[in-house]
């Protein structure tokens, strides 16, 4: 990275604690201008102008970065809201499906109870019908024999 200014052969004494405080306060406030308490450490006016232009450029980039970051945050918030809405819809749909399943299970239980009741009755009815058929067939044969005997006599 290119240095903000070159001092050349000029030797300068810099108070790093004060500089650190200035940078930290500048970063927090977004103001990178030099404080008035540093006039003895300032570079020549031409270098100062270049430095101020660079600082202004950094401030513009910082503002652009803030705008882009806020735009991204809003986009993420909108996406989160959409996803949350879709999740709520999915949960509601799942609840409806669970309710329908419970209803189907209840109907299935009722069907099983009815079948449990009806199947033995059906078996009894089949057996009873079979006996009746056999009785009718036996009577029919008996009746036929009787008619054949009476015709034969």
């Amino acid at each position: 990275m290119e240095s903000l200014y070159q001092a050349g052969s000029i030797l300068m004494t810099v108070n790093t604690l004060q500089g650190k405080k200035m940078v930290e306060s500048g970063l927090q406030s977004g103001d990178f201008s030099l404080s008035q308490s540093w006039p003895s450490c300032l570079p020549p006016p031409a270098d100062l102008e270049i430095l101020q232009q660079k600082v202004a450029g950094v401030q513009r980039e910082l503002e652009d970065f803030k705008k882009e970051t806020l735009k991204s945050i809003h986009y993420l918030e909108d996406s989160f809201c959409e996803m949350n809405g879709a999740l709520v819809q999915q949960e509601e749909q799942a609840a409806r499906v669970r309710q329908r399943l419970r209803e189907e299970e209840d109907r299935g239980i009722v069907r099983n109870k009815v079948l449990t009741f009806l199947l033995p009755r059906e078996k009894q009815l089949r057996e009873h019908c079979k006996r009746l058929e056999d009785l009718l067939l036996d009577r029919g044969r008996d009746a036929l024999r009787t008619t054949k005997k009476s015709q034969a006599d």
Side-chain angles (χ1 to χ4, degrees):
M1 184 173 174
E2 133 186 22
S3 62
L4 295 178
Y5 67 92
Q6 295 176 349
S9 63
I10 301 172
L11 295 176
M12 298 172 54
T13 304
V14 178
N15 182 343
T16 56
L17 181 61
Q18 188 178 3
K20 183 178 177 188
K21 286 180 184 177
M22 183 190 83
V23 169
E24 286 174 351
S25 66
L27 285 176
Q28 290 170 356
S29 68
D31 179 21
F32 292 103
S33 58
L34 297 173
S35 83
Q36 297 299 327
S37 65
W38 281 54
S40 63
C41 298
L42 292 178
D47 289 342
L48 183 61
E49 180 65 31
I50 293 170
L51 180 61
Q52 286 175 337
Q53 288 174 1
K54 288 181 181 183
V55 167
V58 169
Q59 285 176 325
R60 282 190 301 275
E61 288 176 10
L62 180 63
E63 285 302 315
D64 292 345
F65 176 76
K66 283 181 185 178
K67 288 176 187 175
E68 288 297 319
T69 302
L70 286 174
K71 190 187 304 183
S72 297
I73 288 171
H74 290 306
Y75 174 76
L76 289 172
E77 286 174 341
D78 292 344
S79 297
F80 177 75
C81 288
E82 286 179 31
M83 288 173 36
N84 199 26
L87 179 63
V88 167
Q89 287 178 346
Q90 291 294 321
E91 287 172 345
E92 289 171 355
Q93 185 176 8
R96 286 191 300 270
V97 167
R98 281 192 296 272
Q99 180 63 31
R100 276 188 265 149
L101 283 173
R102 274 189 229 107
E103 291 169 1
E104 285 297 318
E105 284 176 357
D106 292 345
R107 281 190 219 119
I109 290 169
V110 169
R111 282 187 201 115
N112 285 339
K113 287 181 179 178
V114 168
L115 286 174
T116 302
F117 175 77
L118 290 178
L119 286 175
R121 302 309 179 278
E122 180 188 19
K123 184 179 177 187
Q124 289 172 349
L125 282 172
R126 285 180 191 266
E127 289 170 355
H128 189 63
C129 286
K130 178 79 170 133
R131 280 191 302 252
L132 289 174
E133 279 180 21
D134 290 344
L135 274 173
L136 286 173
L137 288 175
D138 286 345
R139 284 187 185 165
R141 281 188 215 128
D142 287 344
L144 220 102
R145 279 188 217 140
T146 314
T147 16
K148 283 186 184 178
K149 278 186 188 179
S150 59
Q151 286 177 355
D153 288 332

